Amino acid sequence: MLLGLNNIQPLQSIVVMVQKEVANRLVAIPGDKLSGAITYAIHYYCKPEILMEVPNDSFIPSPEVDSSVIKLSVLSAPSITVSNEQLFFRIIKQAFSQRRKTLVNALADFEGLTKNEITNMLEKLHIDTKIRGEKLTMEDYKNITEYICSFNQIKNF
């Protein structure tokens, strides 16, 4: 999985310093305008928090950017349960690979689904058909994953 976070169970937490903008993306709430595909992976495996801001003048020579120290508290189990973790993250990656497109267009032909089938799926899941991937919650992605899993089972039956 993304970043190898699925193999960190012996760890209780990870503390790192990263560029402030990256930290903000990592700790953003999934569905927030700052969220990215990595946000969902972090929140799936960890509880992130910013511990402190580090101004650029704390370093010699000074970089052009500020930094943040973040703590990723590793969860004992993923934050949500999905039947197909690989598919869950592939859907998220696909949705963010074309960020300016609606989810329907971003997922067109994903797993062999047509735009019509994707539109029907979103309607059945009570998700706006004009929504973009970055606006979805972890639960929304879970529901899409489960729908596609069941749809593919029916389709391949």
Side-chain angles (χ1 to χ4, degrees):
M1 172 42 249
L2 189 66
L3 303 175
L5 288 175
N6 56 338
N7 295 320
I8 59 174
Q9 271 315 26
L11 299 176
Q12 292 179 339
S13 64
I14 301 167
V15 178
V16 294
M17 182 167 56
V18 294
Q19 184 176 331
K20 183 178 180 178
E21 290 77 13
V22 173
N24 290 339
R25 186 163 292 244
L26 295 176
V27 304
I29 304 299
D32 183 71
K33 74 176 189 172
L34 287 177
S35 65
I38 195 161
T39 307
Y40 292 83
I42 293 293
H43 281 268
Y44 186 79
Y45 293 109
C46 304
K47 178 183 177 252
E49 64 180 304
I50 293 179
L51 297 179
M52 65 185 297
E53 305 291 331
V54 183
N56 64 345
D57 61 6
S58 299
F59 303 94
I60 299 175
S62 293
E64 293 185 23
V65 297
D66 292 328
S67 300
S68 295
V69 175
I70 62 169
K71 179 180 181 182
L72 304 174
S73 299
V74 179
L75 301 173
S76 59
S79 60
I80 59 171
T81 305
V82 293
S83 61
N84 188 329
E85 193 175 275
Q86 267 191 324
L87 178 62
F88 175 75
F89 285 111
R90 283 197 349 257
I91 292 167
I92 292 170
K93 183 179 178 182
Q94 183 68 26
F96 279 92
S97 70
Q98 300 178 39
R99 195 175 180 117
R100 301 299 308 151
K101 290 188 173 188
T102 64
L103 189 63
V104 170
N105 289 325
L107 294 181
D109 295 323
F110 181 79
E111 294 288 307
L113 294 169
T114 65
K115 279 188 182 183
N116 240 3
E117 290 168 331
I118 295 165
T119 300
N120 290 338
M121 170 188 69
L122 295 179
E123 288 172 350
K124 286 179 183 173
L125 295 174
H126 307 289
I127 297 173
D128 182 359
T129 57
K130 297 192 185 325
I131 199 164
R132 298 187 194 286
E134 71 262 17
K135 295 292 183 190
L136 295 176
T137 65
M138 296 278 282
E139 195 67 29
D140 290 332
Y141 278 113
K142 172 191 173 173
N143 292 337
I144 290 169
T145 301
E146 301 308 327
Y147 185 95
I148 290 174
C149 282
S150 65
F151 183 82
N152 282 341
Q153 287 175 351
I154 292 168
K155 204 171 173 181
N156 295 327
F157 185 66

